[in-house]
Amino acid sequence: MHAAILNAPRRTLAEYDEMLVWAVLSLLAIGLVMVYSASIATAEGSKFTGFRPGYYLVRHGIYILVGIVMGIAAFQVKVETWQRLAPYLFLLGVALLVLVLVPGVGRAVNGSRRWLSLFVVNLQPSELMKLFAVLYAADYTVRKGVVKNNFRKAFLPMFAVMALVGGLLLLEPDMGALVVICAIALCILWLGGFNIKVFGALVLALPVAFAALVVISPYRLQRVTGFLDPWSDPFGKGYQLSHALIAFGRGEWFGVGLGASVEKLFYLPEAHTDFLLAVIAEETGFAGVSAVIVLFAVLLVRAFAIGRQAAFLDRMFASLAAQGIAVWLGVQAMVNIGVNMGVLPTKGLTLPFLSFGGSGVVANCIAVAILLRIDYESRRMMRGQQI
């Protein structure tokens, strides 16, 4: 009996990707500190927060705690179960995107209707939809593998589904989420071995489609022109970017010191959400921004490595899901960093794991938990153990 207990398989730290876990925990910790630093002045001077300087700190801390708890729960779910649930989760995401557009149900902030009020917190369906899109696209690619070279049977159904989701996101409007979800779907289809000619056509068609969306919308056109030359109108359309660039300039190599940012003092809008990296740059300088980028690089390398390992074991859904999560987090981080540094137009995308926002943090934590579950099952398979 004692021998059976000693020989029983155990969940040890060696069965997890330690580097991935530490990279994510480091990003969450940096985010907690910097959200507090970036928001303290805003919270202290706002009637909405009750003039409490720690308002956003407490809420962000709760979001991280909820995200970790949800992540632990998600880790208990087998990958095959996630595959079976993928179509239903995607339908749930579509339903939430429709619901957010219903007058009196969806909550509008700054002209965008992106949130559902849950009384205590606001739910942003587009953040959950990114995760659901990863799972659905991975499952779709596996199911359509036998007809992956057939344009009509393989690509058109996915195109129709994504067009529906894209239309709903544009009605909010949430162009940033649309860009991320399109990147997820296309990359998973490409990684799944779909016909290369399809993607050749898309490479030509997508820029034209996005250009048309920009031209027909004065709001988006203003953002693009503001991004190209923010100093032409530093108090209007170029206001956010010009102050973000000032923050980067003030930070130099090692920053002005934690908590010493000037731009967060009501100069830089959304300092604790979309433009958190600008505050990181000002307070910690090139060194701090480099550390954040290195942590994201570690996260992406480990995610793709987990996907590759699953592919070697012929676990195609797991492989595509892992790589889809890497694409999602990588593209969103790249866009946010690019916006903060002035190399991309403003998209309204937060920095994963770091920016303030409950829906985003929880969705990111669940995604990492699924990554760890894929890795855990792959390691057990390699050892000949039961999943």
Side-chain angles (χ1 to χ4, degrees):
M1 179 177 178
H2 293 291
I5 293 174
L6 290 173
N7 293 327
R10 299 178 181 177
R11 290 186 181 180
T12 63
L13 192 60
E15 296 184 18
Y16 301 86
D17 193 314
E18 298 177 36
M19 192 177 294
L20 173 62
V21 171
W22 282 113
V24 171
L25 289 177
S26 299
L27 288 170
L28 289 172
I30 293 171
L32 184 64
V33 173
M34 294 311 303
V35 162
Y36 180 49
S37 178
S39 67
I40 185 170
T42 303
E44 195 172 24
S46 173
K47 185 178 180 181
F48 171 76
T49 63
F51 307 105
R52 291 171 290 174
Y55 176 84
Y56 291 105
L57 170 67
V58 173
R59 291 179 75 87
H60 194 64
I62 293 173
Y63 294 151
I64 291 175
L65 181 60
V66 171
I68 292 174
V69 171
M70 294 288 286
I72 293 173
F75 179 81
Q76 308 306 315
V77 180
K78 292 183 178 181
V79 175
E80 63 178 359
T81 303
W82 285 114
Q83 182 176 6
R84 189 166 62 251
L85 293 175
Y88 304 104
L89 291 174
F90 189 80
L91 288 175
L92 173 63
V94 172
L96 291 175
L97 290 179
V98 172
L99 195 61
V100 82
L101 297 174
V102 177
V105 178
R107 183 169 181 264
V109 177
N110 296 330
S112 297
R113 188 178 293 275
R114 302 178 185 175
W115 294 267
L116 292 173
S117 178
L118 302 181
F119 302 104
V120 179
V121 295
N122 293 319
L123 174 68
Q124 189 171 356
S126 60
E127 291 294 338
L128 296 178
M129 194 63 193
K130 295 169 189 174
L131 174 60
F132 298 159
V134 168
L135 299 175
Y136 178 76
D139 174 59
Y140 179 90
T141 303
V142 172
R143 285 189 287 108
K144 296 289 185 177
V146 294
V147 292
K148 61 185 179 183
N149 292 320
N150 188 307
F151 181 86
R152 182 177 60 84
K153 293 182 179 179
F155 181 75
L156 286 182
M158 173 61 83
F159 178 80
V161 169
M162 288 304 165
L164 170 63
V165 172
L168 293 173
L169 289 171
L170 288 175
L171 288 174
E172 292 186 5
D174 193 347
M175 187 72 169
L178 174 60
V179 169
V180 172
I181 290 174
C182 284
I184 290 169
L186 293 178
C187 287
I188 289 179
L189 291 176
W190 179 68
L191 291 167
F194 275 50
N195 195 327
I196 192 65
K197 294 180 180 179
V198 173
F199 296 94
L202 286 172
V203 167
L204 297 175
L206 281 178
V208 176
F210 280 114
L213 288 173
V214 170
V215 171
I216 64 176
S217 171
Y219 168 72
R220 297 190 190 99
L221 185 60
Q222 187 181 48
R223 281 196 167 187
V224 171
T225 54
F227 140 74
L228 293 173
D229 186 10
W231 305 111
S232 64
D233 187 11
F235 298 104
K237 59 188 179 183
Y239 183 80
Q240 282 183 310
L241 180 54
S242 61
H243 280 280
L245 294 176
I246 291 171
F248 270 86
R250 293 192 74 245
E252 298 185 350
W253 288 101
F254 299 104
V256 297
L258 189 62
S261 167
V262 171
E263 287 301 316
K264 69 184 182 184
L265 303 178
F266 304 100
Y267 292 105
L268 182 62
E270 311 296 339
H272 58 298
T273 55
D274 298 357
F275 285 89
L276 183 67
L277 189 71
V279 178
I280 294 175
E282 186 177 5
E283 295 190 349
T284 64
F286 176 80
V289 174
S290 297
V292 169
I293 293 174
V294 167
L295 287 172
F296 273 112
V298 170
L299 168 62
L300 298 183
V301 168
R302 295 312 308 153
F304 277 113
I306 289 171
R308 183 178 60 181
Q309 183 185 50
F312 286 155
L313 296 171
D314 291 326
R315 306 177 64 221
M316 289 311 300
F317 171 80
S319 175
L320 293 173
Q323 293 175 86
I325 290 171
V327 170
W328 160 25
L329 298 177
V331 168
Q332 183 161 334
M334 180 187 70
V335 171
N336 180 274
I337 293 170
V339 167
N340 275 257
M341 297 178 67
V343 297
L344 290 173
T346 305
K347 288 285 185 228
L349 284 173
T350 56
L351 191 58
F353 303 105
L354 282 88
S355 295
F356 177 81
S359 302
V361 169
V362 171
N364 295 158
C365 288
I366 293 174
V368 170
I370 294 173
L371 263 179
L372 290 172
R373 180 70 198 195
I374 292 169
D375 181 53
Y376 170 73
E377 291 186 6
S378 294
R379 293 186 187 213
R380 290 187 69 85
M381 287 182 68
M382 293 178 69
R383 293 171 183 169
Q385 297 173 329
Q386 186 177 0
I387 297 176

